[in-house]
């Protein structure tokens, strides 16, 4: 009887945790939808606003809406050619869309922009390393991963 009661309590707790997790996921999706709506409103008023373009592009990327992310991030790279974060994130989208030529163009542009001026930005190196790793180009991946690790030795991702 005690074991049955304990199992019942445990299964009820697991059910509550699962419900809370599902509720939290739903809340995140609702917040993302509201954020996207607000960003689209901002872009309707100022279609070339860099922060709104970047934020909406990143939001679409996080939702797996890569073509929409490309639209906003590409415009941002045209408006601000030196925006290394925009190039890096645009390259990620092109990678996921299997458009390797465009991905490499923007990965290399991001790397060029950060190599000397932004010593604290390791993402361009780790993202490009991952691109090459997925294509079994280990020598290129290792060089880039080593640079990412030297820029941010606290990041576990850079050592993976």
């Amino acid at each position: 009887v005690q074991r049955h009661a304990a199992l019942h309590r445990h299964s009820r707790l697991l059910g509550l945790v699962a419900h809370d997790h599902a509720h939290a996921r739903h809340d995140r999706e609702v917040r993302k939808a509201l954020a996207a709506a607000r960003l689209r409103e901002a872009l309707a008023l100022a279609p070339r606003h860099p922060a709104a373009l970047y934020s909406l592009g990143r939001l679409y990327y996080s939702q797996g809406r890569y073509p929409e992310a490309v639209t906003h991030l590409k415009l941002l790279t045209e408006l601000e050619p030196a925006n290394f974060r925009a190039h890096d994130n645009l390259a990620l989208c092109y990678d996921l869309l299997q458009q390797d030529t465009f991905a490499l163009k923007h990965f290399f542009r991001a790397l060029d922009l950060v190599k000397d001026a932004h010593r604290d930005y390791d993402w361009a190196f780790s993202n490009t390393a991952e691109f090459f790793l997925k294509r079994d180009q280990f020598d290129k991946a290792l060089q880039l991963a080593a640079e990412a690790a030297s820029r941010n030795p606290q990041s576990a991702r850079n050592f993976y």
Side-chain angles (χ1 to χ4, degrees):
V1 172
Q2 288 178 339
R3 185 169 192 264
H4 177 74
L7 286 173
H8 179 71
R9 279 193 309 272
H10 182 72
S11 65
R12 186 165 184 265
L13 286 174
L14 286 177
L16 290 173
V17 168
H19 174 76
D20 287 348
H21 180 70
H23 192 268
R25 186 175 57 240
H26 173 74
D27 285 350
R28 278 192 305 275
E29 294 307 314
V30 168
R31 284 194 304 272
K32 284 181 180 182
L34 289 172
R38 296 293 186 264
L39 288 165
R40 285 191 301 271
E41 288 172 11
L43 287 170
L45 297 172
R48 300 165 69 89
H49 191 277
L53 288 167
Y54 182 77
S55 296
L56 191 55
R58 284 290 304 153
L59 182 60
Y60 284 151
Y61 171 83
S62 74
Q63 294 175 324
R65 297 169 60 180
Y66 308 120
E68 293 102 323
V70 164
T71 299
H72 292 85
L73 294 168
K74 184 178 178 194
L75 177 56
L76 181 54
T77 62
E78 292 165 1
L79 295 171
E80 295 184 349
N83 187 324
F84 56 91
R85 286 183 177 89
H87 284 285
D88 190 28
N89 284 280
L90 181 56
L92 291 171
C93 293
Y94 280 132
D95 177 19
L96 291 165
L97 291 168
Q98 299 178 343
Q99 296 182 22
D100 290 3
T101 302
F102 292 115
L104 280 173
K105 172 187 171 186
H106 290 282
F107 276 134
F108 287 144
R109 182 67 179 131
L111 291 173
D112 285 342
L113 291 167
V114 301
K115 68 180 173 189
D116 297 321
H118 302 279
R119 292 286 311 155
D120 60 333
Y121 190 76
D122 59 317
W123 283 97
F125 291 92
S126 60
N127 290 336
T128 310
E130 185 177 337
F131 175 88
F132 284 119
L133 186 63
K134 290 189 292 188
R135 287 152 183 85
D136 297 331
Q137 296 182 32
F138 302 114
D139 290 341
K140 291 178 183 177
L142 186 58
Q143 289 175 341
L144 292 160
E147 179 63 26
S150 75
R151 287 170 177 259
N152 185 359
Q154 285 74 40
S155 172
R157 182 178 194 272
N158 291 337
F159 291 91
Y160 177 73

